[in-house]
Amino acid sequence: MTTDGALARLIRSSADRTAAVDAETCDLCAAPVADEHAHLYDTGPEQVRCVCGPCSVLFAEAGAGDGHYRPVPRRRVRLPRVDTALLGVPVGLVFFVPRADGTVTAQGPSPAGAMRWEVAAAAWQRLTGVCPQLATVEPDVEALLVNTVHGLDHHWIVPIDDCYRMVAVVRREWRGLSGGGRVWPSVEQFFEDLTERP
């Protein structure tokens, strides 16, 4: 075997191992998952878990697994402008998550991850009176996602995994104290790429 052949084999082997490490797997059974895959919301640590098709089916019924894992829906609905000032959160890039216990949290991205505030449940109820579609938001697994930064006007009902993807975009692109020149174009692109889904 030539040195070139051995080196090529070593490079290929290293690339294969890197691809295997980078490949996403099911958080429940470790099976490989496709790029487009289902998610479950883990109510204990309040985290989204990647799951394969068979594992997602196990938790499709309400109450399966004693409600510990809840399927994250795929629905996305673009809303007309929603006056989120009623909720008392002075942030232009934020998502609001109604919880199963009746509370509502607001979370905004930062370079360190999502910042979190409690929103008055009465204020959320007033807002759902103004925008009845918000009453359909499924607790814990859907959110009202808002971007009014730089004069934009995006208001969406989205699955919670979309919100975490948006937080990841901010963390990945943020530079320095003010965010730098990459973060806001990346956030705008994130919102441009959202599409409505039933």
Side-chain angles (χ1 to χ4, degrees), residues 164-178:
Y164 293 145
R165 282 190 317 108
M166 186 266 301
V167 170
V169 166
V170 172
R171 288 189 71 184
R172 183 184 67 232
E173 302 298 339
W174 193 279
R175 299 293 182 271
L177 295 175
S178 65

Side-chain angles (χ1 to χ4, degrees), residues 24 26-27 33-41 48-57 71-72 74 161:
E24 279 198 90
C26 176
D27 287 333
V33 295
D35 287 342
E36 288 288 320
H37 56 268
H39 292 108
L40 293 176
Y41 179 75
V48 172
R49 306 284 186 194
C50 297
V51 291
C52 64
C55 285
S56 70
V57 171
V72 175
R74 294 185 35 80
D161 53 359

Side-chain angles (χ1 to χ4, degrees), residues 85-110:
L86 294 172
L87 301 176
V89 177
V91 178
L93 182 58
V94 64
F95 57 96
F96 299 91
V97 184
R99 302 293 177 178
D101 65 4
T103 62
V104 178
T105 60
Q107 297 180 58
S110 78

Side-chain angles (χ1 to χ4, degrees), residues 131-148:
C131 180
Q133 286 176 293
L134 293 178
T136 69
V137 174
E138 194 174 333
D140 296 321
V141 293
E142 288 187 314
L144 167 62
L145 177 61
V146 176
N147 182 12
T148 58

